[in-house]
Amino acid sequence: MNQIEAAKAQAGTVEAQTASPGYRYYVLGILILIYMLNFLDRQIIGILAAPLKAEFNLSDSQFGLLGGLAFALLYSTLAIPIAWLADRFSRVWIMTGALTLWSGFTALCGLAGGFGSLFLCRMGVGIGEAGGVAPAYSLIADYFPKSQRARALAAYAFGIPLGMAAGTLVGGLLAATWGWRTAFIVVGVLGVLVAPVLRLTVKDPKRGGLDIEPAAAAAAPVDTPKAPPFKAVVRTLAPKPSFWLLAFGAASSSVCGYGVAAWLPSFFMRSFGLTLSQTAWYYSAIVLVGGVAGIWLGGAMADRLGRKSKGAYPLTPAIAFLISVPCFILAMNSGAVVGAVMPGSDPNGFAALALAFLIFLIPTGLNLTWLGPITAAVQHLASPTMRTTASALFLLINNLLGIAVGIYYFGWMSDMLRPTFGEESLRWAIYTGMGFYLLSSALLFGASRTLQKDWVD
């Protein structure tokens, strides 16, 4: 080992150009696992809505604050300074600390004595998770070449349906057997145990090493390129209409996506008559099968179509959202569909539940197709040294609106409609939320017309 290689090894860095394919995919696998834990801890509260509301006597609006604002406020805003640090210092160290922090606060949720203390613990989860995503985007962009980046980011996004499915299933079954407190503690401790594995086995690649030709990369200096000031990143992104259209398009879809994900377990229990354990199995299967298929489809299609036109990156999810809306509404009314075919059948019987399951797979997959294409496109709106901060600015808009507004909106709307629709108020609240998918589609169609001009190779 020469002096340069020894210095790199001591610093915990690696040249992505020379990293073996096996190691690259190992890194991707670890990042997927951590993203899975990220969403497991983030979304577990959805399946625990019924026992939490019963114990603390919460309204739908109050629960919406727990799932939305408590988490999203600091999660979204702290992501910016953390990303600024990640563009200058070790992304792996930052993610290790973030994973330990959010997992610890998830475990503390199990000790909460009321709405106030649970709200504060959920804020702590948000503080930790603020350092979990943007650095991972940057690591993946530096481990995989441009031709594979959307698929790699789509594979990373598998952590979302895997985490949601695990949170729904594990959280629901633990809560049904040992109580909701045990569910929080178990999943939180799991994340704390995984953190050292990340730190000890994953190294930081050279920033932008795969964005230049191999010969030029070999001749490039060893030192990591200096990250520009935060203002420079803002000045780079602000004049680009593609950034705003992608960010607000993704945010509009997330208002509905996060809201539906948080409230569908409650809908299944209220409108389909499922128990907590039944809902855990039913919804986790929908999220796992539909989500994984949709994310991979979105990344693969965008990588293939993007070779011909950059506009394909936002166009793929724009079309997907238009298809999702009628599918969601049809799935929620599967009992009426079965009743029209088989008069007198139970609207919540096996046939209706089976039909709903099959139809729900379609929009559950389609509403996640944006993750690979859009995050890949955002990576190409700025230079490699700006990627983490650019991703954090994108996530600020996406999450502050998507999580804080989305989860609260459905709870608030359900309370508003309760005098008219009673226990079915949540159904009608979800109907109104479908409008956000239509808005997202329009914004992403706009981005497909400007992205070619704003793209940075």
Side-chain angles (χ1 to χ4, degrees), residues 57-73:
N57 193 28
L58 305 177
S59 67
D60 282 351
S61 296
Q62 286 178 305
F63 181 76
L65 289 174
L66 281 177
L69 185 64
F71 175 88
L73 185 61

Side-chain angles (χ1 to χ4, degrees), residues 30 33-34 37 96 99-100 189-199:
I30 289 292
L33 173 61
I34 293 168
L37 294 172
T96 301
L99 173 58
T100 304
V189 170
L190 176 62
V192 173
L193 296 176
V194 171
V197 178
L198 169 67
R199 174 64 192 92

Side-chain angles (χ1 to χ4, degrees), residues 59-151:
S59 67
D60 282 351
S61 296
Q62 286 178 305
F63 181 76
L65 289 174
L66 281 177
L69 185 64
F71 175 88
L73 185 61
L74 292 177
Y75 170 72
S76 302
T77 53
L78 286 179
I80 301 296
I82 291 175
W84 184 89
L85 290 172
D87 270 335
R88 289 156 177 78
F89 304 102
S90 170
R91 292 165 285 188
V92 174
W93 262 114
I94 288 172
M95 289 188 66
T96 301
L99 173 58
T100 304
L101 187 63
W102 88 61
S103 299
F105 272 107
T106 298
L108 287 176
C109 287
L111 305 178
F115 175 80
S117 57
L118 186 56
F119 189 94
L120 291 175
C121 288
R122 291 297 294 174
M123 289 183 70
V125 175
I127 292 172
E129 293 199 8
V133 181
Y137 284 168
S138 180
L139 284 171
I140 293 169
D142 283 335
Y143 265 112
F144 290 87
K146 288 180 283 186
S147 61
Q148 301 174 16
R149 206 162 278 162
R151 276 172 290 177

Side-chain angles (χ1 to χ4, degrees), residues 199-431:
R199 174 64 192 92
L200 295 173
T201 64
V202 174
K203 296 181 179 180
D204 266 294
K206 179 181 176 181
R207 299 173 198 265
L210 294 179
D211 291 293
I212 54 179
E213 295 300 321
V222 172
D223 295 336
T224 299
K226 184 178 179 181
F230 176 76
K231 289 182 180 179
V233 182
V234 174
R235 285 196 298 267
T236 298
L237 295 176
K240 296 186 175 185
S242 297
F243 174 77
W244 301 105
L245 291 167
L246 291 172
F248 282 102
S252 297
S253 74
S254 293
V255 169
C256 196
Y258 280 116
V260 168
W263 286 103
L264 269 184
S266 295
F267 169 79
F268 290 141
M269 286 185 268
R270 295 184 197 180
S271 297
F272 281 15
L274 299 181
T275 66
L276 180 60
S277 297
Q278 289 170 335
T279 299
W281 285 105
Y282 188 76
Y283 187 46
S284 63
I286 291 173
V287 171
L288 181 62
V289 177
V292 169
I295 288 173
W296 185 251
L297 177 66
M301 287 183 61
D303 265 343
R304 175 169 294 185
L305 299 176
R307 297 189 189 107
K308 298 180 179 179
S309 171
K310 305 305 182 188
Y313 285 88
L315 194 60
T316 300
I319 296 171
F321 293 141
L322 290 179
I323 301 172
S324 292
V325 173
C327 290
F328 264 124
I329 295 173
L330 185 63
M332 293 171 66
N333 290 278
S334 61
V337 175
V338 171
V341 178
M342 298 183 295
S345 61
D346 183 356
N348 291 331
F350 175 80
L353 290 172
L355 179 62
F357 181 90
L358 293 174
I359 300 175
F360 266 122
L361 292 176
I362 300 172
T364 300
L366 292 177
N367 72 1
L368 293 175
T369 57
W370 72 270
L371 289 161
I374 300 304
T375 53
V378 171
Q379 299 296 305
H380 287 279
L381 293 178
S383 65
T385 57
M386 298 181 178
R387 280 179 179 152
T388 312
T389 305
S391 294
L393 288 168
F394 166 79
L395 291 170
L396 171 66
I397 298 170
N398 180 60
N399 293 323
L400 195 58
L401 291 176
I403 302 176
V405 174
I407 298 176
Y408 177 75
Y409 169 83
F410 287 96
W412 170 78
M413 184 59 70
S414 177
D415 283 341
M416 291 289 290
L417 297 175
R418 185 172 293 276
T420 303
F421 296 104
E423 282 297 303
E424 288 295 303
S425 63
L426 185 54
R427 175 193 295 272
W428 287 91
I430 295 174
Y431 289 164

